[in-house]
Amino acid sequence: IRRHKSTQPIAASLLELGGVQISKQDVVKDEPTNNVPDLIFTKLGLQLHRRDNHPLGILKNAIHEYFDSNYNSQFLKFDDLCPIVTTKQNFDDVLVPADHVSRSYNDTYYIDADTVLRCHTSAHQAELLRKGYTNFLVTGDVYRRDSIDSTHYPVFHQMEGVRVFSPNDWNDSGKDGTSYAADDLKACLEGLARHLFGAVEMRWVDTYFPFTNPSFELEIYFQEKWLEVLGCGVMEQEILKRGGKTDNVAWAFGLGLERLAMVLFDIPDIRLFWSTDKRFTSQFTKGQLGIKFKPFSKYPPCYKDMSFWINDSFTENNLCEIVRGVAGDLAEEVVLIDNFTNKKGMTSHCYRITYRSMERSLTDEEINELQWNVRDQVQRQMNVELR
Ligand code: FA5
Ligand code: MG
């Protein structure tokens, strides 16, 4: 990890870079640096997806089984590739445009200007294709600066799948390569959903990814809402071409493992995956897909509102990072509940923060102290005016 010596005060550029942790370090103007907070560093290497008794490990193994039995064990499995990757792997190799938002310091954790914590397992697609693999699954922890609620967490797990076809595969089908691959992809993932869930309400939604065309998302009905569980599509020809596969067509998908595991095991909050509380961990057993999580008594939430005048560099991801930096997993949700602009053109935001522990009751003093710390850090790091 490179550190930079500062030569001059640069308060303004700190915010341009997405603030928060960056402001604790010395930064040279225009030279981006590390924005990975301690909370995230402590998650590196935990590899929940490699624990056979953890819901994510159980799910990963069940998906492996589905592919083994339906594809004659053709799919090679990787689950130990390093989450620290180059910006080339994470973005350029999968054709993410130079100005795409996902590259910003607001959305991605940078170790230095050329190195990130992968924000998706697609970071490994191109390299594995170049090495000659044509059917593979990659599971790993991925990292994103994101909002705070029951289905979003800054570290989560994905499984990437890639399957390459040659003209022989589709020539007799009466379809062109692209529609053949798209139909095969949807059939494969619908089969997977049936294997995991039996009957479940699901729907396909058309979407956009820089690396696939056409692109789709699969949503599953869960807790009275449609929950997006995966993105997928037919791989852009350019990626195959660069991998030396000019005449081929391929599909690719990226599953959100927490989202699928929440549906499968009835896990109501994404923070639970990180719990070391026996009342959580003891409920899951290697190889057992049918288990439904029995929530231990739900402790009361506590709501705290805060209002401030925002500035041009304000972002919700920065706010969430500060809240998590102070409250850790005690922060359950951060939502904008009021937003207005006055005659002078100043914009005020009011956020409601929900604090709740999964494991115990929080005291008033404890919550008040968290909230005071959040207010203090927000004011100092984001340069906003509290109201
Ligand atoms: C991607 O990451 C693409 N790389 C997926 C892909 C792969 C598309 C290959 C095409 C081909 P997306 O950002 O939508 O796409 O994330 C994929 C899944 O990860 C989502 O559907 C969701 O299930 C899960 N996910 C996204 N953000 C979070 C989060 N903050 N917490 C938990 N799960 C998340
Ligand atoms: Mg998505």
Side-chain angles (χ1 to χ4, degrees):
I1 296 166
R2 264 188 313 147
R3 296 276 162 103
H4 303 278
K5 274 267 168 286
S6 108
T7 49
Q8 64 199 101
I10 35 135
S13 69
L14 290 180
L15 292 161
E16 271 169 40
L17 295 177
V20 198
Q21 188 70 8
I22 297 171
S23 60
K24 284 199 199 159
Q25 303 184 1
D26 293 341
V27 193
V28 175
K29 191 169 191 293
D30 297 331
E31 198 172 349
T33 184
N34 193 307
N35 65 347
V36 185
D38 296 345
L39 192 84
I40 297 297
F41 263 119
T42 61
K43 303 283 200 269
L44 280 165
L46 291 183
Q47 296 196 312
L48 301 180
H49 59 285
R50 300 183 76 205
R51 302 183 188 179
D52 289 338
N53 286 315
H54 188 279
L56 296 178
I58 300 169
L59 173 61
K60 182 199 75 177
N61 291 335
I63 301 173
H64 282 175
E65 253 169 51
Y66 170 79
F67 277 91
D68 281 348
S69 57
N70 286 277
Y71 299 92
N72 211 359
S73 303
Q74 282 171 46
F75 277 78
L76 284 185
K77 305 169 198 100
F78 301 86
D79 69 358
D80 196 19
L81 300 178
C82 182
I84 300 172
V85 300
T86 60
T87 50
K88 176 176 177 295
Q89 290 172 295
N90 199 71
F91 300 121
D92 304 280
D93 279 357
V94 282
L95 314 177
V96 175
D99 59 355
H100 196 267
V101 284
S102 66
R103 291 186 186 246
S104 73
Y105 271 66
N106 188 54
D107 286 42
T108 292
Y109 291 111
Y110 280 77
I111 302 260
D112 65 32
D114 315 306
T115 317
V116 297
L117 300 182
R118 66 184 164 208
C119 71
H120 53 182
T121 43
S122 302
H124 302 287
Q125 261 187 31
E127 201 177 332
L128 292 170
L129 281 172
R130 279 198 298 273
K131 288 186 173 162
Y133 299 111
T134 51
N135 295 278
F136 55 86
L137 302 169
V138 181
T139 308
D141 36 324
V142 301
Y143 299 78
R144 289 185 197 178
R145 298 183 90 235
D146 215 329
S147 43
I148 298 185
D149 66 34
S150 65
T151 62
H152 289 81
Y153 202 78
V155 188
F156 60 103
H157 296 75
Q158 287 188 339
M159 186 189 291
E160 193 84 1
V162 170
R163 179 164 208 218
V164 181
F165 298 97
S166 21
N168 285 341
D169 295 316
W170 71 81
N171 271 346
D172 298 334
S173 70
K175 300 176 194 170
D176 60 72
T178 302
S179 8
Y180 180 84
D183 291 350
D184 188 83
L185 170 66
K186 285 186 170 174
C188 167
L189 292 171
E190 284 169 14
L192 174 62
R194 272 193 305 276
H195 172 76
L196 295 175
F197 304 116
V200 71
E201 220 182 322
M202 55 184 167
R203 67 179 187 194
W204 287 104
V205 180
D206 289 327
T207 188
Y208 164 82
F209 295 107
F211 29 92
T212 49
N213 187 16
S215 305
F216 317 100
E217 279 168 349
L218 184 65
E219 296 185 338
I220 291 184
Y221 202 67
F222 177 63
Q223 293 184 343
E224 273 113 56
K225 280 189 197 130
W226 287 103
L227 178 66
E228 181 199 318
V229 297
L230 67 88
C232 66
V234 178
M235 190 180 287
E236 280 290 353
Q237 208 56 41
E238 179 65 20
I239 301 177
L240 283 163
K241 201 170 106 194
R242 292 184 195 173
K245 303 237 170 334
T246 325
D247 301 324
N248 302 77
V249 168
W251 55 237
F253 63 73
L255 312 177
L257 288 187
E258 276 82 351
R259 300 274 181 92
L260 289 171
M262 288 173 86
V263 178
L264 188 59
F265 299 109
D266 249 338
I267 296 174
D269 192 296
I270 198 166
R271 291 172 294 165
L272 281 163
F273 291 98
W274 301 94
S275 175
T276 53
D277 190 316
K278 283 267 179 324
R279 288 173 296 175
F280 178 77
T281 56
S282 68
Q283 293 196 32
F284 303 96
T285 310
K286 179 178 176 180
Q288 296 202 10
L289 273 192
I291 295 167
K292 293 295 174 207
F293 172 65
K294 289 180 218 60
F296 25 102
S297 66
K298 220 175 172 191
Y299 298 95
C302 177
Y303 306 101
K304 294 282 178 191
D305 294 350
M306 72 186 288
S307 303
F308 44 81
W309 300 109
I310 63 162
N311 52 37
D312 289 345
S313 57
F314 173 83
T315 73
E316 231 166 78
N317 282 356
N318 286 347
L319 173 68
C320 288
E321 194 88 288
I322 290 172
V323 175
R324 275 210 221 268
V326 172
D329 284 358
L330 299 179
E332 176 169 287
E333 191 166 73
V334 176
V335 268
L336 181 66
I337 56 168
D338 189 38
N339 174 7
F340 71 89
T341 303
N342 73 7
K343 286 195 202 113
K344 293 185 197 153
M346 293 162 74
T347 297
S348 166
H349 280 183
C350 179
Y351 282 91
R352 174 157 298 165
I353 305 175
T354 308
Y355 296 101
R356 191 207 310 251
S357 165
M358 299 264 114
E359 291 158 9
R360 61 194 175 84
S361 278
L362 300 174
T363 64
D364 284 344
E365 295 83 66
E366 195 175 8
I367 293 162
N368 286 336
E369 188 172 332
L370 289 173
Q371 182 66 6
W372 276 112
N373 276 330
V374 167
R375 289 175 67 88
D376 181 53
Q377 296 292 324
V378 164
Q379 185 159 36
R380 280 202 278 168
Q381 295 189 41
M382 307 192 83
N383 241 349
V384 299
E385 196 185 323
L386 295 180
R387 304 183 50 221

